[in-house]
Amino acid sequence: MFHSENKLRTSWDSLVLAVTVFAVIEIPLSMVFDLSSTLVAAAVRIILGVFVADILVHFNTGFYRLGKTVVKRSAVALRYLKGWFWLDLLAALPIGLALKYFVPSAATLLFLLSLNPLLKLIHSGTTLYRIGGARVNPAILRLVLLVFWILLVAHLVSCGWILISGNPQGLASVPLYIRAFYWTITTLTTIGYGDITPQGEFQTVFVIFIELLGAGMYGMIIGNIANLIANIDIAKSQYKGRLDKINAFLNYRNIPHPLQRKINDYYSYLWESRRGYDESAVLQDLPIALKTTVALQINRGIIEKVPLFQTASEDLIREIVLNLNPVVFTPGDMIVTAGEVGFEMYFISQGSVDVLSADEQTAYATLTAGQFFGEIALLLSMPRTATIRAREYCDLYRLEKDNFERVIQHYPDFAERINELAEKRKAEIEEIQKSKESEIPEKIEDIQAEHTGNAVNLRWNWVRDLRHYEVIKRIPTTGKWTYVEKNALEPNITDPNPDPDRSTMYRIRAIKTTGPGAWSKPVVIEAAPEESET
Ligand code: CMP
């Protein structure tokens, strides 16, 4: 018993298909031309032999039912006898030969009856799909089949025309066939130049029949070809349909052109990177085992890229891969915002992102394909430590918090490694933040003020890495602050014109290259006494 998926069986089907095609071409030719009788006899033997053998092969091939291969001989035989057997038997009978022998004068009838191997072609489509379906686009196969049927009909009609119109000009076989084929094509395509016309009633009736056939075929071909060509790339036609619909909506809503451009660019990216398919939606209907296998296959790229996965166990990878959702971000998108609560982490499959401080002024790192982010908020239950911005189009895989926590609980090794990295990253950020803080000048605290003659002298603590100090005072009469000194290089100045009658308020701040520090608390100096004491 053969298995229905057996490779030998597929090769045999290919051979039967080839012999059937040969038979339907050769038999009509042998009816209208005087082919060598040994050649015809050999052909008939081959056709007969292969067709009979095919019947035997069918009786010995199991079939697929409800997910199981049935190989029980009686079940196989019953199924075949109830189905294709009779057609295969009829196709295998050498009717043409028998008729030629018994009724040599009934030419037309003989022609029609001897075409019985054509019956075998009825299931040639199924055979062709079985042989090439997995490898070749089904729409292309249908197109090939359509062209084959058109050419076959043209061939049969040409031979029929030669049979009934004879060879009045006494042409050789090849020119005679070419002329008949030319007549057939002009008639079937409804062109009908009229250079070859029927003579007598019989030929006229034949031509009427062929013209009707041509008209029918013409409509069928036009309809079919348009449909087939549209379906050759079904993903592309669906994608184009979706894009047209979106663009119509954007125009209707008067969305600004730059935004429309961005949306179109996003769709082009979706097309280039994944043929417009939404992978998770495609997998949704599959049973869990199949879904895991397909998900593993699809996500193999990301698994190979992420070093963290390379040492992980099969089970862990399975668990993670099943829960990864693909998401796309466009250049400049904020994927994660510092300070927010986090509900997911991301693995980068394609593209790169910047890790930025909350004010987006400092870049902590750039992460690329194979790296991940967003784990700190999930692991340490704290707000996002950084903002993540897409540098270009990014293909990411998102892992939700619940799934992440389940994985962490079940796989302590993995948890430990990811924790280490999270701590390291957190420490890095804290270090950078600390060093940034030290760049801000400290507040001036320790100010001493005294009268020296009519002037006021101010001294304060010294500040590191400084550009200069600024000192302001409050004009007692107006209440406004004004500069006393804008560019003091030493931590002391003298105000030569303090208000002699009222107390004066001063404030001081330090300036570094990174900017100014905070103003000090006001220091008040009373009006100078007559004897110049503070
Ligand atoms: P999370 O705090 O959840 O969100 C921001 C993410 O940026 C953070 O998790 C880390 O994954 C990532 N991140 C923070 N600091 C660094 C760093 N120094 N280098 C690389 N990535 C970082």
Side-chain angles (χ1 to χ4, degrees), residues 251-282:
N251 279 329
Y252 160 66
R253 279 307 203 167
N254 285 329
I255 303 294
H257 275 282
L259 189 54
Q260 290 202 18
R261 187 67 270 134
K262 200 170 174 198
I263 294 171
N264 276 277
D265 285 350
Y266 166 71
Y267 274 96
S268 307
Y269 178 78
L270 278 194
W271 173 251
E272 280 162 25
S273 61
R274 60 195 66 191
R275 290 282 169 264
Y277 286 117
D278 174 359
E279 283 166 14
S280 38
V282 174

Side-chain angles (χ1 to χ4, degrees), residues 336-340 342 344-346 354-356 364-367 371-379 382-388 421-422 424-429 432:
V336 156
T337 309
E340 283 189 351
E344 62 270 308
M345 71 170 292
Y346 298 87
D354 281 327
V355 184
L356 303 169
Y364 299 135
T366 297
L367 304 176
Q371 293 180 291
F372 57 86
F373 58 86
E375 77 293 356
I376 299 181
L378 304 193
L379 269 175
M382 58 183 282
R384 297 282 194 201
T385 52
T387 290
I388 307 272
L421 196 78
K424 201 170 136 222
R425 284 176 167 179
K426 197 167 142 254
E428 263 173 41
I429 288 192
I432 294 173

Side-chain angles (χ1 to χ4, degrees), residues 468-475 480-488 493 495-497 506-509 511 516 519:
H468 58 263
Y469 302 97
E470 289 177 350
V471 181
I472 49 174
K473 77 173 174 187
R474 191 161 175 264
I475 312 277
K480 283 192 176 160
W481 290 92
T482 177
Y483 274 99
V484 180
E485 175 63 63
K486 271 190 170 174
N487 201 6
I493 60 135
D495 176 11
N497 303 311
Y506 292 94
R507 299 180 90 171
I508 305 168
R509 69 175 180 180
I511 313 286
W519 286 107

Side-chain angles (χ1 to χ4, degrees), residues 6 86 169 184 191 220 278 286 336 389 412 433 460 468 478 481-482 493:
N6 191 320
W86 300 104
Q169 291 156 306
T184 307
I191 295 169
M220 186 197 79
D278 174 359
L286 292 181
V336 156
R389 190 174 56 199
Q433 277 170 350
W460 58 91
H468 58 263
T478 60
W481 290 92
T482 177
I493 60 135

